[in-house]
């Protein structure tokens, strides 16, 4: 079966494009929003060698149970601050897809983020991942309103 299922999520964020790009590439930012609500991604689990061919990894931990979901991949394209393309391994699994993030400067300190992910083998996987990212982007939106706030345990 070919992995052609995909989805796109767009968000308008009240933050400059450079900050949004850093939120995707800097572990100090990622730890504050990466993963759906009910999960934490400890800073020590995040690494990001942000260059084409570089690797990234992060482990989401379910707050209620402590269950861990490691994920990671390779950067394919890095064009700061407007575009990021990388592979993404399904949390705790082997399936891999490709994520493209395009950031458009809307002026006035606002950014349009277009997130596209392709490569799902089942509709169920596509739907579950879509819902997880949608929840994570709610957290990203909140983080960008106060990006320098202290890390909460």
């Amino acid at each position: 079966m070919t992995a052609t299922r995909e989805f796109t999520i767009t968000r308008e964020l009240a933050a400059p494009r450079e900050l949004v790009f850093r939120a995707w590439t800097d572990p100090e930012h990622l730890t504050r929003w990466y993963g759906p609500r009910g999960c934490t991604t400890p800073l020590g689990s995040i690494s990001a060698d942000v260059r084409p061919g570089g690797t990234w990894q992060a482990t989401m931990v379910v707050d209620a149970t402590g269950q861990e979901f490691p994920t990671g991949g390779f950067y394919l394209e890095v064009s700061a601050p407007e575009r990021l393309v990388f592979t993404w391994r399904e949390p705790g699994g082997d399936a891999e897809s490709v994520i493209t993030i395009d950031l458009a400067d809307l002026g006035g300190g606002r950014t349009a983020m277009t997130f596209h992910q392709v490569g799902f083998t089942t509709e169920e996987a596509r739907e579950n991942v879509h819902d997880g990212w949608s929840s994570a982007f709610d957290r990203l939106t909140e983080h960008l309103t106060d990006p320098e706030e202290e890390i909460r345990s």
Side-chain angles (χ1 to χ4, degrees):
M1 175 180 280
T2 59
T4 58
R5 289 175 180 85
E6 59 192 271
F7 65 86
T8 300
I9 299 173
T10 58
R11 293 282 174 108
E12 186 173 315
L13 303 166
R17 183 167 67 164
E18 293 77 10
L19 177 58
V20 178
F21 190 86
R22 282 196 316 273
W24 275 101
T25 58
D26 180 343
E28 291 282 346
H29 284 277
L30 285 164
T31 192
R32 296 177 182 152
W33 72 267
Y34 184 82
R37 291 198 190 283
C39 288
T40 302
T41 305
L43 180 60
S45 78
I46 303 169
S47 66
D49 181 10
V50 186
R51 61 180 175 82
T55 62
W56 72 274
Q57 64 182 8
T59 299
M60 296 176 287
V61 180
V62 178
D63 295 337
T65 66
Q67 185 176 8
E68 295 185 353
F69 292 96
T71 190
F74 297 91
Y75 292 101
L76 302 174
E77 181 182 340
V78 178
S79 298
E82 64 269 353
R83 186 174 173 91
L84 194 60
V85 182
F86 55 93
T87 62
W88 183 84
R89 190 179 62 251
E90 194 171 306
D94 295 323
E96 193 170 76
S97 57
V98 175
I99 291 173
T100 301
I101 301 160
D102 287 305
L103 303 174
D105 185 349
L106 299 176
R110 300 190 66 77
T111 301
M113 179 182 78
T114 303
F115 174 97
H116 182 80
Q117 189 167 4
V118 62
F120 301 99
T121 56
T122 68
E123 184 61 22
E124 179 182 18
R126 188 196 73 78
E127 288 176 8
N128 288 340
V129 172
H130 176 278
D131 292 348
W133 280 117
S134 185
S135 178
F137 295 158
D138 291 344
R139 294 180 64 203
L140 172 62
T141 299
E142 293 164 7
H143 166 63
L144 291 171
T145 63
D146 192 2
E148 303 307 319
E149 185 176 328
E150 290 293 330
I151 297 173
R152 295 188 177 122
S153 52

